Amino acid sequence: MQSNERAGDRRHGGSKLRLSSDRNNDHEETRGCCGGFSVPSWVRDADLSLLTEREREVLAALGACQPNTVIADRLCITERTVKKHVTSVFIKLEITSRTEAAVIAILRSAPHGAH
């Protein structure tokens, strides 16, 4: 197995996400915005309505790759509170990493509608 095959195979919510340069694959993904980029179903299916306004602000900050200290300063809250909001976002969106949160934040805020 090649290293990029290993890195590209991933289980998420029971569906397989393949990171590939092949734009013709449909591996349980949906063609979305971004000039033919495949938006994974777990991004499309993330229910942002479950998030509070503050959690949405934290999600947006995660999309901008901001560390907790910067998020805390920007939102005038403690770093501990930021950590609690991040944890809540992960639970509600059924994700496990800041990277997944960033992907959702970026693709779901796209003006041409990756929703």
Side-chain angles (χ1 to χ4, degrees):
M1 180 182 281
Q2 295 177 344
S3 63
N4 47 341
E5 283 180 335
R6 205 170 327 133
D9 288 342
R10 166 145 195 256
R11 292 274 176 206
H12 190 288
S15 65
K16 194 173 197 177
L17 170 62
R18 272 197 180 267
L19 304 177
S20 171
S21 60
D22 179 10
R23 290 182 179 219
N24 295 320
N25 65 23
D26 280 331
H27 307 283
E28 296 184 44
E29 298 172 315
T30 301
R31 299 287 171 207
C33 67
C34 310
F37 177 82
S38 296
V39 176
S41 61
W42 59 269
V43 172
R44 242 186 345 165
D45 297 340
D47 189 356
L48 301 183
S49 70
L50 297 174
L51 303 180
T52 65
E53 184 61 33
R54 183 62 91 184
E55 290 165 348
R56 286 189 196 111
E57 292 172 331
V58 169
L59 179 63
L62 293 173
C65 300
Q66 294 178 347
N68 289 352
T69 53
V70 172
I71 297 170
D73 287 345
R74 191 176 67 104
L75 298 179
C76 300
I77 57 178
T78 66
E79 190 174 350
R80 182 176 179 185
T81 301
V82 172
K83 289 178 184 180
K84 289 182 180 187
H85 287 311
V86 169
T87 299
S88 183
V89 168
F90 285 9
I91 291 168
K92 289 179 180 181
L93 298 183
E94 299 179 11
I95 58 176
T96 58
S97 73
R98 293 173 79 93
T99 302
E100 290 171 325
V103 169
I104 290 169
I106 292 165
L107 293 181
R108 293 293 298 273
S109 68
H112 29 47
H115 300 285

